[in-house]
Amino acid sequence: MGTTNYVSLSLATALQRSLDIAAHNMANASTAGYKATHPLMEAVDPTNSGDATQAVNYVRDKGVYVDATQGALVPTGNPLDVAVSGTAWLGFEAEGGQAAYGRDGRLAVDNEGRLVTMSGAAIVDVSGAPITIPSDAGPSITIASDGTITDRQGATIGRIGMFDVPQIDKMTALGNGLFVPAADAGAAQPSENSKIAQGYTEQSNVKPVVEMIHLMDIQRAYERAVKMMDDENDLTKQAIQRLGRVV
Amino acid sequence: MKALGIAATGMLAQQTNVDVIANNIANANTTGFKSGRAAFQDLIYQSVLQEGALTSTDGTARPVGLNVGLGVQGAGVVRLNTQGGLIQTANQLDLAIEGNGYFVVNRPDGTLAYTRSGNFNLSAEGQIVTLDGYEVDPGVNVPSGTREIAINAQGVVMAYVDNETTPVELGQLSMATFLNDAGMKPIGNNLLEETTASGEATTVTPGDPGVGVIRQGHLENSNVNIIQQITDLISAQRAYEMNSKSIETADQMLQTANQIK
């Protein structure tokens, strides 16, 4: 029995995972601050024989990478919506107090007066501390492009932190728009060259047309893989029939 | 193949989106209505391969992990608390709030509710009431024979009774503010309720610092931006179609797999 079926099978399995990733991107096409993820495939030669005529290369999904390109900024009119223009990430305090980063700046004030995301994670300032809005300021706050929050009288309340996170591709997605950097990635540094836009949200950076083409690609490649299994199957069948024939 | 389930979450999210938009458009002419916006977040990720795991005895590590996201979920409906346009009605009991704050309404069961809709009327007993007959808090009794009611920007209610030329002060309308307006719960009939997320109501006087003023003879229009809603509706429809395409592709791939023999 040849290895053809296993090569085809490795492709089909990898393609199923690619479809899952494409479907997840499309499901999040209207999630603010969402960053598309794309699969990475690699060729694996399990024999390592070095003999090119013997080489069998399986397909394996090596991982996914986060596409960090900027999403479009759209105005919402909500003073508590902030979007980052540039490469910096907003800092958040995820469950259990761990530091997380994300680009979803749809904020709200919780009943303790802290600025939080839709799922209740507090946004932090440059020093990593949550930002509390005094009760008399309410939602009528102004956020400058450097993240400084001022109330109606012009008094400074705090400053939203923007961070440069090293090794973005190694970040683990937590869901709810939050990412945790890899343990060995080093500390995130305050960012200098990004700007915050108040009253805007960053749209998801999923490119619908590109994802649709991925879908077509995945489907056809899958059909190819299955066709190859069929052909291999036919060959084996013919071989058995022919060799088993009594002359 | 998780794609079927993932795409289904996407379609469900867009359905919610369309429901919220439909409610906004339906209430485009509702006094004091604040438009809502469905907000979404990505669901948890299933970690297939861990990033940083060792890939060889030489200590090389996997630079990226393989995390497959499981779709999208609704995170909430955010109410956009921007000021609606004021329209003049010339009705002396039509009140609009310009700025922050809510009118307080006494419900028959004794609890309080809050509203931005100031189309008030007089009850048979001379009380200022909402269109549902709920008394505006604190209660103001308008004596019989009143020919004109004047309410100033600070909420002081004066009445010109019979042929008197000097008005009588009847009372003072108060308002309520919340730390987190967006956390209030809409209960229909233009009313909102206090919740733990909104924080407790603070009773304020109109015109205080940070509090809106009352405009007599005006109503606050809804703040629904119809053009915005229609364009949102179009994008929601396209996003829905895109997700159904994922399902179609997954289905066809499963069909292909089923035909292996």
Side-chain angles (χ1 to χ4, degrees):
Chain A
M1 191 76 157
T3 47
T4 320
N5 271 342
Y6 293 102
V7 175
S8 308
L9 189 60
S10 74
L11 174 59
T13 314
L15 286 169
Q16 286 195 6
R17 203 109 75 196
S18 303
L19 178 71
D20 293 344
I21 292 166
H24 181 65
N25 285 340
M26 299 234 251
N28 284 289
S30 44
T31 302
Y34 176 77
K35 296 290 169 203
T37 53
H38 300 295
L40 284 171
M41 306 285 185
E42 71 176 346
V44 180
D45 177 3
T47 58
N48 262 328
S49 60
D51 176 359
T53 61
Q54 295 293 317
V56 173
N57 282 303
Y58 292 103
V59 182
R60 192 172 62 178
D61 32 6
K62 186 188 175 75
V64 292
Y65 68 95
V66 177
D67 175 1
T69 52
Q70 170 94 43
L73 300 193
V74 288
T76 61
N78 187 343
L80 289 179
D81 281 340
V82 295
V84 179
S85 157
T87 54
W89 294 76
L90 298 168
F92 297 96
E93 202 177 272
E95 272 173 53
Q98 69 174 330
Y101 299 90
R103 297 269 294 196
D104 176 6
R106 293 167 301 176
L107 304 177
V109 182
D110 70 3
N111 56 358
E112 291 166 28
R114 296 184 313 163
L115 270 183
V116 294
T117 65
M118 308 289 309
S119 54
I123 192 167
V124 298
D125 60 15
V126 183
S127 65
I131 299 164
T132 305
I133 304 293
S135 59
D136 54 345
S140 53
I141 52 171
T142 309
I143 302 168
S145 63
D146 66 347
T148 307
I149 307 172
T150 46
D151 65 9
R152 201 184 288 99
Q153 281 77 36
T156 304
I157 295 169
R159 186 176 166 192
I160 295 175
M162 283 182 283
F163 301 91
D164 285 328
V165 184
Q167 305 187 46
I168 293 168
D169 0 322
K170 278 201 190 180
M171 295 198 298
T172 312
L174 281 186
N176 295 338
L178 298 180
F179 292 90
V180 176
D184 61 343
Q189 296 300 321
S191 173
E192 298 300 333
N193 44 22
S194 293
K195 287 187 161 53
I196 279 185
Q198 186 185 17
Y200 287 81
T201 54
E202 180 180 354
Q203 279 187 319
S204 139
N205 71 348
V206 173
K207 296 181 192 73
V209 176
V210 174
E211 294 297 339
M212 292 300 256
I213 291 168
H214 280 168
L215 277 194
M216 290 157 66
D217 234 9
I218 291 166
Q219 193 191 344
R220 295 303 169 206
Y222 193 82
E223 282 172 7
R224 262 194 322 270
V226 170
K227 179 84 173 42
M228 208 144 68
M229 287 187 224
D230 265 349
D231 290 350
E232 163 75 3
N233 196 26
D234 280 350
L235 274 179
T236 317
K237 204 157 88 184
Q238 281 178 27
I240 292 169
Q241 279 174 353
R242 214 167 274 183
L243 294 172
R245 202 179 291 155
V246 183
V247 184
Chain B
M1 196 155 343
K2 291 184 272 285
L4 285 170
I6 295 169
T9 65
M11 291 175 86
L12 278 173
Q14 294 307 330
Q15 280 183 18
T16 312
N17 203 359
V18 171
D19 291 347
V20 173
I21 295 169
N23 186 47
N24 288 341
I25 295 176
N27 283 293
N29 292 322
T30 303
T31 311
F33 178 79
K34 300 292 174 202
S35 66
R37 193 185 67 219
F40 302 105
Q41 287 181 328
D42 46 348
L43 268 170
I44 53 160
Y45 288 73
Q46 185 178 0
S47 185
V48 182
L49 297 171
Q50 191 63 44
E51 44 280 276
L54 293 184
T55 53
S56 76
T57 45
D58 303 332
T60 52
R62 176 175 297 285
V64 287
L66 179 62
N67 299 300
V68 181
L70 296 181
V72 64
Q73 63 183 342
V77 176
V78 187
R79 210 170 27 257
L80 183 60
N81 284 313
T82 55
Q83 175 79 41
L86 299 190
I87 40 171
Q88 200 171 10
T89 63
N91 185 343
Q92 59 182 1
L93 280 177
D94 279 345
L95 306 179
I97 300 172
E98 190 183 346
N100 198 9
Y102 296 84
F103 292 115
V104 187
V105 171
N106 262 315
R107 281 185 289 178
D109 63 357
T111 55
L112 298 177
Y114 305 89
T115 184
R116 292 278 297 187
S117 165
N119 37 6
F120 299 138
N121 290 280
L122 283 184
S123 70
E125 292 81 38
Q127 291 280 339
I128 298 182
V129 293
T130 67
L131 285 177
D132 293 319
Y134 299 167
E135 190 187 303
V136 176
D137 185 84
V140 175
N141 258 311
V142 180
S144 58
T146 300
R147 58 185 156 86
E148 196 188 330
I149 299 169
I151 300 167
N152 73 2
Q154 280 72 42
V156 179
V157 185
M158 317 279 267
Y160 292 88
V161 187
D162 297 330
N163 293 324
E164 296 290 325
T165 47
T166 43
V168 194
E169 189 175 328
L170 299 181
Q172 158 84 52
L173 290 177
S174 63
M175 294 201 308
T177 56
F178 293 87
L179 182 53
N180 176 22
D181 293 31
M184 294 169 78
K185 183 182 170 199
I187 52 170
N189 294 346
N190 285 337
L191 298 178
L192 298 155
E193 263 179 350
E194 166 187 316
T195 66
T196 46
S198 69
E200 277 183 25
T202 314
T203 306
V204 291
T205 308
D208 281 353
V211 180
V213 291
I214 290 179
R215 299 281 182 225
Q216 190 187 16
H218 291 78
L219 284 179
E220 184 184 0
N221 238 334
S222 85
N223 67 350
V224 177
N225 178 344
I226 290 289
I227 307 288
Q228 175 82 51
Q229 298 299 324
I230 300 290
T231 49
D232 285 356
L233 201 57
I234 295 170
S235 358
Q237 187 187 353
R238 294 301 171 216
Y240 190 83
E241 283 174 10
M242 233 158 58
N243 283 295
S244 81
K245 207 80 194 165
S246 302
I247 292 188
E248 202 181 309
T249 307
D251 179 45
Q252 284 170 357
M253 280 167 64
L254 283 173
Q255 204 181 347
T256 310
N258 282 343
Q259 283 163 356
I260 306 176
K261 58 168 191 299

